[in-house]
Amino acid sequence: RDFCLSRGLGDVYKRQRLFSELNNHKSHAREKLDYILNISEENPDRIPIEFKKFRAALDEDLYGMDSEKDLLATFMASNEHAGKRGYNILLWGSPGVGKTSLAECAARHCGLPSEVVYLNAIQNPLELEGLDSSYDSATAGAFSNAFKMNGTSEMVIILDEIGRVHSSKDGNPLDLSLIHISEPTRQAEI
């Protein structure tokens, strides 16, 4: 009889521990779901781009770079006219010429939030993408954090210092991560 009683208490203890673990998983899952659901796909503050207004706004904020501002305004206005959203733009040049300022200015005049991610400070691709959500200690990456902080995924993310990305003798996993993020259609090739 004593054996049955202790065995019964052991089962009760195991069940309580199991329910406790399930509740922890539920709250963790609920936390992740809340994180995602609070990010809007569209930004209500977004301003439609008209070439002349956009170009004039860039001139007000930035001195020089006339050909770069023309190209950027033309590209963005044509994408707006075509109804395209979510495209990549590469601004390439020497340090200090105003690439980041141009991107931030463009975002501001589109009514979109912007976030600068300094790639020279990132050593692990998981810092960009985040850990797999199947892990209990999973954390969001820089992009998800930017979306969460701004409440929208319709924003400008500026990947700065791409030429100074840390590399190792085995190659750079960050390169593959950047391709994965910027070109989803190439994922099958990787």
Side-chain angles (χ1 to χ4, degrees):
R1 180 171 177 143
D2 289 339
F3 175 74
C4 290
L5 182 61
S6 65
R7 183 173 173 225
L9 289 175
D11 288 345
V12 168
Y13 175 72
K14 285 179 186 176
R15 285 186 192 142
Q16 284 178 338
R17 197 173 76 207
L18 179 64
F19 285 129
S20 174
E21 288 176 17
L22 285 173
N23 284 334
N24 286 340
H25 288 295
K26 274 187 191 177
S27 69
H28 194 64
R30 190 174 297 122
E31 214 174 277
K32 289 178 186 177
L33 191 57
D34 287 344
Y35 192 91
I36 293 168
L37 291 176
N38 287 326
I39 299 173
S40 170
E41 287 186 31
E42 293 189 13
N43 189 335
D45 299 330
R46 187 176 185 282
I47 302 167
I49 301 168
E50 295 176 26
F51 177 81
K52 288 181 182 178
K53 287 182 182 178
F54 186 72
R55 180 64 172 84
L58 292 176
D59 280 337
E60 285 177 24
D61 287 358
L62 300 168
Y63 176 77
M65 299 190 293
D66 290 329
S67 62
E68 290 83 358
K69 290 187 282 190
D70 281 339
L71 284 170
L72 183 62
T74 302
F75 178 79
M76 292 183 71
S78 63
N79 276 309
E80 178 78 26
H81 182 70
K84 291 183 181 177
R85 290 186 177 179
Y87 40 83
N88 303 318
I89 299 173
L90 175 64
L91 301 175
W92 188 267
S94 302
V97 297
K99 300 176 297 290
T100 304
S101 297
L102 181 61
E104 289 175 324
C105 182
R108 188 171 47 256
H109 290 292
C110 291
L112 297 174
S114 64
E115 187 76 29
V116 180
V117 176
Y118 295 97
L119 294 177
N120 61 335
I122 292 179
Q123 296 182 12
N124 186 336
L126 295 176
E127 293 177 51
L128 289 177
E129 298 180 44
L131 290 172
D132 186 345
S133 62
S134 63
Y135 296 109
D136 281 342
S137 61
T139 57
F143 298 129
S144 296
N145 285 333
F147 297 153
K148 169 82 169 161
M149 189 169 45
N150 292 289
T152 182
S153 61
E154 187 174 15
M155 61 180 294
V156 175
I157 295 182
I158 303 163
L159 302 177
D160 205 4
E161 303 293 344
I162 199 165
R164 296 183 185 176
V165 170
H166 293 286
S167 61
S168 66
K169 59 185 171 187
D170 299 328
N172 189 349
L174 191 55
D175 294 342
L176 292 176
S177 184
L178 291 172
I179 291 170
H180 173 78
I181 291 163
S182 64
E183 296 185 45
T185 55
R186 290 197 54 201
Q187 290 177 17
E189 297 174 26
I190 297 174

